[in-house]
Amino acid sequence: MRYADGGGLTAAGRAKREAVRFEAAEMFEQGVQRPEVARRLRVSQKSAYAWHALWRDGGKPALASKGHGGFPCRLNDARAERLQAELDAGPAAHGWSEGQRWTLARVAELIHRLFGHRYTPRGVSYLLHRLGWSPQVPAYRAVERDEQAVESWRTEQWSRVGGRPSSWARGQSSRTSPGRT
């Protein structure tokens, strides 16, 4: 994950950046020029010019952190835990029997059923990422699959076959011949 909480900076990261902006404000008060502020603080000149404009118009308070961006999550921690449990139960537990995988549309519908909140597919994607879910290529398995029968076949039948047939030849993953240079 690139940033904590699915995007933006952590509170500690925001505080650290705010401290750098406050340090720039002190330099502006001392008459240090913007390119020199950028060099000393190891930031871009564009940032130094933007901070100077904010400082000039609103003083040091204008450089204070405004908190994280974006909309706040509509699900509190308790609801997020409940959603996690419901997702773990699988789609069949919620009436989707035709395919046993979660889609963004299904999760959005589940959230609406459980909590009355409407989420866009993109919002569901962000929420699932925050909960630790990631997009996966589904392993297609029949609902009627009998795992014990499959395991029994593997131990009894497959062991008699003994691995790969002798007719299998080693292949190349490249179209070019390995002998040519």
Side-chain angles (χ1 to χ4, degrees):
M1 184 165 32
R2 184 170 175 203
Y3 294 116
D5 299 327
L9 293 172
T10 62
R14 283 191 301 274
K16 185 177 178 183
R17 288 211 178 159
E18 182 181 64
V20 171
R21 290 192 303 270
F22 286 164
E23 195 173 339
E26 291 172 10
M27 290 182 195
F28 295 145
E29 289 170 357
Q30 296 169 0
V32 178
Q33 294 298 311
R34 292 161 287 205
E36 179 63 17
V37 169
R39 189 188 66 73
R40 287 184 191 176
L41 297 178
R42 300 176 69 190
V43 298
S44 69
Q45 285 191 15
K46 182 177 180 178
S47 293
Y49 276 86
W51 295 345
H52 185 267
L54 288 170
W55 171 79
R56 185 186 59 229
D57 294 342
K60 194 172 180 179
L63 296 175
S65 176
K66 293 169 183 57
H68 63 81
F71 291 103
C73 183
R74 289 183 244 161
L75 301 182
N76 60 23
D77 290 341
R79 287 184 169 188
E81 287 178 23
R82 179 171 177 215
L83 176 63
Q84 179 74 35
E86 298 294 339
L87 291 173
D88 288 339
H94 299 284
W96 287 289
S97 58
E98 61 275 358
Q100 292 304 301
R101 62 184 185 268
W102 285 112
T103 63
L104 296 178
R106 284 182 178 181
V107 175
E109 177 63 28
L110 179 65
I111 292 170
H112 181 66
R113 284 184 200 169
L114 294 174
F115 311 115
H117 296 298
R118 292 267 183 214
Y119 269 79
T120 64
R122 187 173 192 166
V124 170
S125 176
Y126 289 139
L127 177 62
L128 290 176
H129 182 75
R130 198 182 101 212
L131 294 176
W133 289 65
S134 63
Q136 301 290 318
V137 176
Y140 291 102
R141 294 211 168 116
V143 175
E144 304 86 11
R145 181 178 166 126
D146 183 1
E147 291 296 330
Q148 288 179 336
V150 171
E151 189 57 35
S152 171
W153 183 89
R154 281 187 182 149
T155 56
E156 296 171 14
Q157 299 293 328
W158 186 246
S159 62
R160 277 194 274 141
V161 173
R164 30 191 271 171
S166 59
S167 64
W168 286 3
R170 294 187 69 153
Q172 294 290 326
S173 60
S174 171
R175 286 198 208 183
T176 60
S177 173
R180 296 184 189 166
T181 55

